[in-house]
Amino acid sequence: MMEKLIIGRYLPADSVVHGMDPRAKLLFIFIFVLIIFLANNPVTYTLLGAFTLFAVFLSKVKLRFLVNGLKPVLILILFTFLLHVFFTKEGDMIARIGFLTIYEGGVIKGVFISLRFFLLIFVTSLLTLTTPPISVTDGIESLFGPLRKIKVPVHELALMMSISLRFIPTLLDETDKIMKAQMARGADFSSGSIPDRVKAVIPLLIPLFVSAFKRAEELAVAMEARGYKGSEGRTKYRLLHWSLRDTMAMLLLGALSAALFMLRS
Amino acid sequence: MDIKLREIEYRYAAGTPFERSAIADVTFDIPSGQYVAIIGHTGSGKSTVLQHLNVLLKPLKGEVQIGNRTVSSGRKEKNLKDVRRRVGIVFQFPEHQLFEETVEKDICFGPMNFGVMEEDAKKRARAAIQLVGLPEEVLGKSPFDLSGGQMRRVAIAGVLAMKPDVLVLDEPTAGLDPRGRQDMMDMFAKLQKENGMTCVLVTHSMEDAARYADTIVIMHKGRVFRTGAARDIFSDAGSLTDVGLDVPETVRFQRLFEQRLGRPLGKVCLTPEELAAEVGRLRGEQS
Ligand SMILES: Nc1ncnc2c1ncn2[C@@H]1O[C@H](COP(=O)(O)OP(=O)(O)OP(=O)(O)O)[C@@H](O)[C@H]1O
Ligand SMILES: [Mg+2]
């Protein structure tokens, strides 16, 4: 049941995007997320869309998988779309349904905002699909490294993050198992009134929490048993390597930003 | 209630990049009142097959007949409660499914989901806790204060209290002490013999499979490798080792004994008791 969710999963393959330095990918995404907000007309959105599709193409991730991965957030996107369609009062009026009036500006805004969502989700999924979680945290640790000077426990935070990422699939599997066990005992998660459904989640959540806590404790003990004591004097096994293609990607992104600046209205 | 699996196939995460085939072309029958053991190497698809028996999974190909109900890939299934009540599954490590404040409430969860009144459910809880060999005082305790083995028993009691027609057990005794295993397995066999309950057991213990099962299904790499009566299956040690399994200790001893003796005994003995009787008969012949 949970197995359809692809957000946060890594998909091993051999591609230019897979081979990029995680720091480059993280910087890229950070900047991309900012420049998405530069787009405000059809030309700029097309440009962004084309750029994203090009990145997907380079990554060798099948577009179908990304689209499938959108499904869980589709409701959210639809909701924001409708919100804009119904409550923006700009431009010409195009339709009237009951007490609701729809304006041209609303539809355009709705479409743009949805597009923005799609692009954001595409690029971020692309990051997790093409980068092992451990590399993502290595990248983050390295990028935030300078903060160590002002006593931010960068290494510990990165470790916390990689542990959480590591356990997402485990927790999903666990959820699936417990759900099935309770369904075998007649629990019903998919029908009934809202209060009924909220109550139905308890037999799922409690075992899940219990096992998560147990797992956390076991992990802590196992780490201590193997002599883990934080970042002090710790060397790296996986070294990050910034190569030409990373520089190229950043230059390409720079060009895109410049183009967006010029073409936006 | 008969259950028939017909050429069922299942793939996890179908349609995503993480798709992986779990079982294919699985066909066998679970006749009403029988004791069927499913054995096979780790990852051979046993647990996946079990989840088809009460429609937790729907086959991607083929069909499952559960009583007079047919489940196949295309149709949407509704009203699964009846099937779920009649086919009770005890999953691998069922202790992870406990959640209530007290053991009693947890055992009542299943029956009450299926419409049993609270008073009646409590009666069932008391009966079930006895079946699994725990004292009644446990009913008032929190399930999280119990030992692992006790939790396992409570979880099994939770399924027994549903009074299923078909009891499906996925390695129910893994991790229990020897005495506890024996008692538990004897209890299941007794339910099957005396109450006419159908029993499906997944196990890694060849001894248990040999002792209790009428029919044995061997799974290998997601397919049914062989099905047959226990005695036939365990007569053929060669094909068992081919799929990473083995014969029970008793049979192994019998083979060594026959080598020394220079001739085979009357039949393949599945339990130490049978073997002892057979060897005893030998003495009778000699004198
Ligand atoms: N939730 C899941 N998601 C993806 N693949 C799975 C899942 N559950 C099982 N599989 C895969 O399906 C195959 C069959 O698994 P299954 O759990 O049915 O084996 P099993 O015979 O019960 O093994 P064991 O004796 O270890 O319990 C395995 O290759 C396994 O990796
Ligand atoms: Mg299993």
mmCIF file of all heavy atoms in Angstrom, chain A residues 85-108:
data_model
loop_
_atom_site.group_PDB
_atom_site.id
_atom_site.type_symbol
_atom_site.label_atom_id
_atom_site.label_comp_id
_atom_site.label_asym_id
_atom_site.label_seq_id
_atom_site.Cartn_x
_atom_site.Cartn_y
_atom_site.Cartn_z
ATOM 1 N N VAL A 85 -8.588 30.020 -8.612
ATOM 2 C CA VAL A 85 -9.593 30.196 -9.648
ATOM 3 C C VAL A 85 -10.817 30.927 -9.081
ATOM 4 O O VAL A 85 -11.372 31.824 -9.701
ATOM 5 C CB VAL A 85 -10.001 28.832 -10.234
ATOM 6 C CG1 VAL A 85 -11.267 28.959 -11.054
ATOM 7 C CG2 VAL A 85 -8.882 28.288 -11.095
ATOM 8 N N PHE A 86 -11.210 30.560 -7.881
ATOM 9 C CA PHE A 86 -12.448 31.112 -7.346
ATOM 10 C C PHE A 86 -12.271 32.443 -6.639
ATOM 11 O O PHE A 86 -13.194 33.222 -6.538
ATOM 12 C CB PHE A 86 -13.103 30.109 -6.395
ATOM 13 C CG PHE A 86 -13.666 28.920 -7.109
ATOM 14 C CD1 PHE A 86 -13.384 27.630 -6.696
ATOM 15 C CD2 PHE A 86 -14.479 29.097 -8.227
ATOM 16 C CE1 PHE A 86 -13.900 26.542 -7.361
ATOM 17 C CE2 PHE A 86 -14.998 27.999 -8.891
ATOM 18 C CZ PHE A 86 -14.707 26.731 -8.471
ATOM 19 N N PHE A 87 -11.081 32.698 -6.124
ATOM 20 C CA PHE A 87 -10.982 33.875 -5.265
ATOM 21 C C PHE A 87 -10.097 34.993 -5.804
ATOM 22 O O PHE A 87 -9.855 35.966 -5.127
ATOM 23 C CB PHE A 87 -10.548 33.466 -3.861
ATOM 24 C CG PHE A 87 -11.583 32.609 -3.193
ATOM 25 C CD1 PHE A 87 -11.378 31.249 -3.003
ATOM 26 C CD2 PHE A 87 -12.788 33.170 -2.803
ATOM 27 C CE1 PHE A 87 -12.353 30.465 -2.415
ATOM 28 C CE2 PHE A 87 -13.764 32.385 -2.210
ATOM 29 C CZ PHE A 87 -13.551 31.035 -2.018
ATOM 30 N N THR A 88 -9.569 34.812 -7.019
ATOM 31 C CA THR A 88 -8.827 35.915 -7.606
ATOM 32 C C THR A 88 -9.773 36.710 -8.489
ATOM 33 O O THR A 88 -10.451 36.135 -9.343
ATOM 34 C CB THR A 88 -7.649 35.402 -8.449
ATOM 35 O OG1 THR A 88 -6.902 34.490 -7.658
ATOM 36 C CG2 THR A 88 -6.758 36.542 -8.881
ATOM 37 N N LYS A 89 -9.848 37.988 -8.254
ATOM 38 C CA LYS A 89 -10.772 38.794 -9.056
ATOM 39 C C LYS A 89 -9.973 39.770 -9.903
ATOM 40 O O LYS A 89 -9.834 40.931 -9.594
ATOM 41 C CB LYS A 89 -11.738 39.534 -8.140
ATOM 42 C CG LYS A 89 -12.471 38.583 -7.198
ATOM 43 C CD LYS A 89 -13.809 39.113 -6.804
ATOM 44 C CE LYS A 89 -14.544 38.209 -5.828
ATOM 45 N NZ LYS A 89 -14.462 36.781 -6.107
ATOM 46 N N GLU A 90 -9.406 39.231 -10.997
ATOM 47 C CA GLU A 90 -8.615 40.045 -11.905
ATOM 48 C C GLU A 90 -9.026 39.717 -13.325
ATOM 49 O O GLU A 90 -9.420 38.600 -13.608
ATOM 50 C CB GLU A 90 -7.120 39.723 -11.752
ATOM 51 C CG GLU A 90 -6.434 40.454 -10.618
ATOM 52 C CD GLU A 90 -5.059 39.884 -10.363
ATOM 53 O OE1 GLU A 90 -4.454 39.350 -11.317
ATOM 54 O OE2 GLU A 90 -4.604 39.947 -9.207
ATOM 55 N N GLY A 91 -8.859 40.642 -14.209
ATOM 56 C CA GLY A 91 -9.119 40.400 -15.610
ATOM 57 C C GLY A 91 -10.600 40.257 -15.900
ATOM 58 O O GLY A 91 -11.464 40.618 -15.093
ATOM 59 N N ASP A 92 -10.916 39.688 -17.085
ATOM 60 C CA ASP A 92 -12.313 39.563 -17.502
ATOM 61 C C ASP A 92 -12.982 38.410 -16.776
ATOM 62 O O ASP A 92 -12.350 37.413 -16.461
ATOM 63 C CB ASP A 92 -12.384 39.295 -19.017
ATOM 64 C CG ASP A 92 -11.714 40.416 -19.788
ATOM 65 O OD1 ASP A 92 -11.729 41.559 -19.276
ATOM 66 O OD2 ASP A 92 -11.161 40.130 -20.874
ATOM 67 N N MET A 93 -14.303 38.595 -16.605
ATOM 68 C CA MET A 93 -15.067 37.499 -16.024
ATOM 69 C C MET A 93 -15.337 36.488 -17.121
ATOM 70 O O MET A 93 -15.708 36.858 -18.231
ATOM 71 C CB MET A 93 -16.376 38.045 -15.476
ATOM 72 C CG MET A 93 -17.120 37.062 -14.643
ATOM 73 S SD MET A 93 -18.605 37.802 -13.980
ATOM 74 C CE MET A 93 -19.705 37.515 -15.334
ATOM 75 N N ILE A 94 -15.123 35.195 -16.847
ATOM 76 C CA ILE A 94 -15.408 34.221 -17.904
ATOM 77 C C ILE A 94 -16.565 33.295 -17.578
ATOM 78 O O ILE A 94 -17.153 32.720 -18.472
ATOM 79 C CB ILE A 94 -14.166 33.381 -18.304
ATOM 80 C CG1 ILE A 94 -13.321 33.034 -17.084
ATOM 81 C CG2 ILE A 94 -13.341 34.093 -19.343
ATOM 82 C CD1 ILE A 94 -12.115 32.199 -17.440
ATOM 83 N N ALA A 95 -16.876 33.099 -16.313
ATOM 84 C CA ALA A 95 -18.006 32.202 -16.030
ATOM 85 C C ALA A 95 -18.595 32.537 -14.674
ATOM 86 O O ALA A 95 -17.953 33.169 -13.836
ATOM 87 C CB ALA A 95 -17.538 30.749 -16.057
ATOM 88 N N ARG A 96 -19.821 32.104 -14.480
ATOM 89 C CA ARG A 96 -20.460 32.307 -13.185
ATOM 90 C C ARG A 96 -21.182 31.017 -12.801
ATOM 91 O O ARG A 96 -22.030 30.519 -13.537
ATOM 92 C CB ARG A 96 -21.454 33.456 -13.284
ATOM 93 C CG ARG A 96 -22.180 33.747 -11.973
ATOM 94 C CD ARG A 96 -23.323 34.691 -12.231
ATOM 95 N NE ARG A 96 -22.857 36.061 -12.492
ATOM 96 C CZ ARG A 96 -22.607 36.947 -11.526
ATOM 97 N NH1 ARG A 96 -22.760 36.626 -10.275
ATOM 98 N NH2 ARG A 96 -22.236 38.165 -11.837
ATOM 99 N N ILE A 97 -20.764 30.413 -11.692
ATOM 100 C CA ILE A 97 -21.433 29.197 -11.216
ATOM 101 C C ILE A 97 -22.040 29.532 -9.863
ATOM 102 O O ILE A 97 -21.318 29.698 -8.888
ATOM 103 C CB ILE A 97 -20.455 28.024 -11.046
ATOM 104 C CG1 ILE A 97 -19.554 27.906 -12.272
ATOM 105 C CG2 ILE A 97 -21.193 26.731 -10.762
ATOM 106 C CD1 ILE A 97 -18.314 27.070 -12.057
ATOM 107 N N GLY A 98 -23.357 29.643 -9.831
ATOM 108 C CA GLY A 98 -24.012 29.982 -8.573
ATOM 109 C C GLY A 98 -23.504 31.324 -8.071
ATOM 110 O O GLY A 98 -23.487 32.305 -8.816
ATOM 111 N N PHE A 99 -23.004 31.354 -6.855
ATOM 112 C CA PHE A 99 -22.524 32.609 -6.296
ATOM 113 C C PHE A 99 -21.050 32.837 -6.611
ATOM 114 O O PHE A 99 -20.463 33.836 -6.234
ATOM 115 C CB PHE A 99 -22.756 32.638 -4.773
ATOM 116 C CG PHE A 99 -22.028 31.555 -4.038
ATOM 117 C CD1 PHE A 99 -20.778 31.823 -3.477
ATOM 118 C CD2 PHE A 99 -22.575 30.280 -3.921
ATOM 119 C CE1 PHE A 99 -20.110 30.828 -2.798
ATOM 120 C CE2 PHE A 99 -21.895 29.285 -3.253
ATOM 121 C CZ PHE A 99 -20.657 29.551 -2.690
ATOM 122 N N LEU A 100 -20.419 31.864 -7.302
ATOM 123 C CA LEU A 100 -19.003 31.995 -7.597
ATOM 124 C C LEU A 100 -18.798 32.555 -8.997
ATOM 125 O O LEU A 100 -19.443 32.118 -9.952
ATOM 126 C CB LEU A 100 -18.316 30.633 -7.517
ATOM 127 C CG LEU A 100 -18.165 30.058 -6.102
ATOM 128 C CD1 LEU A 100 -17.787 28.600 -6.159
ATOM 129 C CD2 LEU A 100 -17.113 30.857 -5.332
ATOM 130 N N THR A 101 -17.910 33.516 -9.104
ATOM 131 C CA THR A 101 -17.573 34.018 -10.430
ATOM 132 C C THR A 101 -16.113 33.709 -10.699
ATOM 133 O O THR A 101 -15.273 33.760 -9.809
ATOM 134 C CB THR A 101 -17.775 35.540 -10.519
ATOM 135 O OG1 THR A 101 -17.276 36.115 -9.316
ATOM 136 C CG2 THR A 101 -19.225 35.881 -10.715
ATOM 137 N N ILE A 102 -15.849 33.347 -11.933
ATOM 138 C CA ILE A 102 -14.480 33.002 -12.302
ATOM 139 C C ILE A 102 -13.944 34.069 -13.252
ATOM 140 O O ILE A 102 -14.583 34.425 -14.229
ATOM 141 C CB ILE A 102 -14.440 31.611 -12.976
ATOM 142 C CG1 ILE A 102 -14.915 30.566 -11.978
ATOM 143 C CG2 ILE A 102 -13.030 31.295 -13.448
ATOM 144 C CD1 ILE A 102 -14.997 29.187 -12.559
ATOM 145 N N TYR A 103 -12.752 34.569 -12.912
ATOM 146 C CA TYR A 103 -12.145 35.600 -13.739
ATOM 147 C C TYR A 103 -10.948 35.007 -14.475
ATOM 148 O O TYR A 103 -10.327 34.046 -14.010
ATOM 149 C CB TYR A 103 -11.684 36.768 -12.881
ATOM 150 C CG TYR A 103 -12.814 37.520 -12.245
ATOM 151 C CD1 TYR A 103 -13.319 37.138 -11.014
ATOM 152 C CD2 TYR A 103 -13.396 38.615 -12.896
ATOM 153 C CE1 TYR A 103 -14.383 37.825 -10.438
ATOM 154 C CE2 TYR A 103 -14.444 39.306 -12.327
ATOM 155 C CZ TYR A 103 -14.937 38.926 -11.097
ATOM 156 O OH TYR A 103 -15.973 39.596 -10.529
ATOM 157 N N GLU A 104 -10.642 35.612 -15.598
ATOM 158 C CA GLU A 104 -9.528 35.142 -16.420
ATOM 159 C C GLU A 104 -8.225 35.136 -15.604
ATOM 160 O O GLU A 104 -7.459 34.178 -15.615
ATOM 161 C CB GLU A 104 -9.391 36.055 -17.634
ATOM 162 C CG GLU A 104 -8.506 35.477 -18.715
ATOM 163 C CD GLU A 104 -8.295 36.514 -19.802
ATOM 164 O OE1 GLU A 104 -9.169 37.387 -19.996
ATOM 165 O OE2 GLU A 104 -7.232 36.454 -20.448
ATOM 166 N N GLY A 105 -8.017 36.203 -14.868
ATOM 167 C CA GLY A 105 -6.791 36.321 -14.070
ATOM 168 C C GLY A 105 -6.657 35.176 -13.087
ATOM 169 O O GLY A 105 -5.566 34.667 -12.838
ATOM 170 N N GLY A 106 -7.778 34.752 -12.545
ATOM 171 C CA GLY A 106 -7.763 33.659 -11.573
ATOM 172 C C GLY A 106 -7.283 32.373 -12.196
ATOM 173 O O GLY A 106 -6.453 31.654 -11.627
ATOM 174 N N VAL A 107 -7.816 32.087 -13.392
ATOM 175 C CA VAL A 107 -7.424 30.843 -14.061
ATOM 176 C C VAL A 107 -5.933 30.861 -14.362
ATOM 177 O O VAL A 107 -5.207 29.900 -14.091
ATOM 178 C CB VAL A 107 -8.239 30.642 -15.357
ATOM 179 C CG1 VAL A 107 -7.736 29.425 -16.101
ATOM 180 C CG2 VAL A 107 -9.712 30.516 -15.029
ATOM 181 N N ILE A 108 -5.480 32.007 -14.890
ATOM 182 C CA ILE A 108 -4.051 32.103 -15.236
ATOM 183 C C ILE A 108 -3.200 31.919 -13.987
ATOM 184 O O ILE A 108 -2.240 31.139 -13.970
ATOM 185 C CB ILE A 108 -3.750 33.471 -15.895
ATOM 186 C CG1 ILE A 108 -4.473 33.522 -17.250
ATOM 187 C CG2 ILE A 108 -2.259 33.680 -16.074
ATOM 188 C CD1 ILE A 108 -4.315 34.837 -17.975
#
